[in-house]
Amino acid sequence: MLMYYISMMFLFSAALKRMLNFNAPPLKNTTESVWKVLIYDRFGQDIISPLLSVKELRDMGITLHLLLHTDRDPIPDVPAIYFVMPTEENTDRICQDLRNQLYESYYLNFISAISRSKLEDIASAALAANAVNQVTKVFDQYLNFITLEDDMFILCNQNKEHISYHAINKPDIMDTDMEAIMDTIVDSLFCFFVTLGAVPIIRCPRGNAAEMVAVKLDKKLRENLRDARNSLFTGDTMGTGQFSFQRPLFVLADRNLDLATPLHHTWTYQALIHDVLDFHLNRVSVEESQGSEASPAGARPKKKNKKSYDLTGADKFWQKHKGSPFPEVAEAVQEELDTYRAQEDEVKRLKSIMGLEGEDDGAISMLSDNTAKLTSAVSSLPELLEKKRLIDLHTNVATAVLDHIKSRKLDVYFEYEEKLMSKSTLDKSLLDIISDPDAGTVEDKMRLFLIYYITSQQPPSEADLEQYKKALVDAGCDLSSLNYIKQWKAFTKMAATPANYGSSGVKPMGLFSRVMNTGSQFVMEGVKNLVLKQHNLPVTRILDNLMEMKSNPVSVLVCFSLSLRPFIFSLISTNIKHARQGKRVLYGCSELFNAAQFMKQLSQLGQK
């Protein structure tokens, strides 16, 4: 059971480090590493990048990391570690590398299990190229998933449209296509539990895609356990799982359980970044401001530069505030900046004192005392510089988020949607917001109306609906997504039993304190200071009920959704609540989309 309290990112990065050390445990007390080349495809790159930095790769002796399908020069004296999907295209390129004698030796690691026929193709190519002895090891790594956080994983980033909500729910899908989608999802989930080293207890609703995945996964697990000699969950092959004493509870949910949450405007730092900025695989891209200097008359407008930042577990500010309401984040950034400036001013003051002239006893005594202080300050300089880098990072990111909040009135949308979902009293007409040309984009207006339609106890009358549709069209909205939601709601009979979102809501807290002062980096005037109450979303209630069942004494719950929006990241209270009980919740999804991407999928479905 103690195994589960190890960081999930630590656990899975350890599996990668073992692979990069020629599938042997890395030696702890050695600074020498064998120089080697890492060859990966896009899938392998996506798996490695959130877990291992370039510096960590270099420390493990990786001198070059190259994509498989690029022109690569021969490096005949260096071993090569391959980390790729077992596709026909990839195996053909590996065979070509063998024929071209690119490397000294080949360590072939496949992300998922390779078929016998493809393995025979590689063997034939090695034999023909007289390179049999150079193919040192071939491994199935079972790492076909991406770990983004200690409690969050996704199945893929490449070709995610093949297993998207749209792909699963399109009306003209063939049975063979659905089977292929389910097999892809099951393969990745099987890899996850092999790496975790635990056989799950599976729970799912009946009669939807989640049940199809559950049945296939259960069959695949049983088939593997049936062969005790070669089972991946027993004996030496089990790895970390041999130290676990309890099976995790695995809850499979269909996205159709709750379509309002993926459309909901958000108010926490991480979810806002994912909603309004370019953010994927823990990297956010922000357009740099060009200052107030205007372009010369007749000249082309200056192209805005994009800067990318990694938001990882090593960033303490990110770890502490990613689930916080945005106003708290803005205040925290300002406080960190004020603290840094005070430390910087102290270093400058000490440097000035060190320039004292004269030889009186007081000056000499002061010089001696401040020399020690300056020495201490200099020794902490690397830490201070790293702190400044993180402050600049979050200042830039938070400023970009704030620009979207103010220009689109996202605080107004968030507060109104919270009231809709919690059945609270509305202080403004929905038509007024839709008709307001200064309130948000056409996408914001459409998201708001869809949430109203999904969560309403009774659907609006035909006359009211026509009035809403006219206002939406006048605002420039595409009604294709509404066409699909109407069909979905009728099919699932949600009109009679709408999803209950509990009494979440928000609490206005009045004016800001520190971020409203004249020296603040953030001009928050006109933005509401909203504090989140505890959410009680449909998925959250399911998890709470399952974790609290006395007949179900599990320590770990893995919640997996067929498509997910990171608004669930803000449900920290659920994790904290169960952590106090000695339990832990891990979240996973087949695809991680933001609201704009989900709206696009709904529109595509509504056009069919």
Side-chain angles (χ1 to χ4, degrees), residues 85 180 200 336 437 489 601:
M85 287 290 286
E336 291 283 335
K489 193 166 184 177
Q601 294 189 41

Side-chain angles (χ1 to χ4, degrees), residues 375-388:
T375 302
S376 175
V378 170
S379 65
S380 63
L381 193 57
E383 182 181 345
L384 201 61
L385 291 173
E386 175 63 11
K387 188 174 185 180
K388 178 64 165 60

Side-chain angles (χ1 to χ4, degrees), residues 41 43 68-69 82 84-95 110 122:
D41 59 4
F43 290 88
L68 176 65
H69 295 283
Y82 285 72
V84 298
M85 287 290 286
T87 64
E88 185 173 351
E89 184 183 19
N90 286 348
T91 54
D92 288 346
R93 188 56 187 259
I94 291 172
C95 293
F110 293 100
I122 294 174

Side-chain angles (χ1 to χ4, degrees), residues 202 214-224 226:
I202 304 174
V215 170
K216 282 180 170 289
L217 179 60
D218 178 74
K219 181 181 178 182
K220 193 175 182 83
L221 289 167
R222 289 179 186 276
E223 287 176 352
N224 188 266
R226 196 173 291 122

Side-chain angles (χ1 to χ4, degrees), residues 568-583:
I568 199 128
F569 289 165
S570 63
L571 306 181
I572 298 174
S573 56
T574 303
N575 276 343
I576 293 175
K577 174 183 176 182
H578 294 303
R580 290 172 182 159
Q581 303 170 1
K583 299 178 180 180

Side-chain angles (χ1 to χ4, degrees), residues 287-298:
E287 288 186 348
E288 290 184 309
S289 59
Q290 299 295 314
S292 57
E293 186 180 339
S295 300

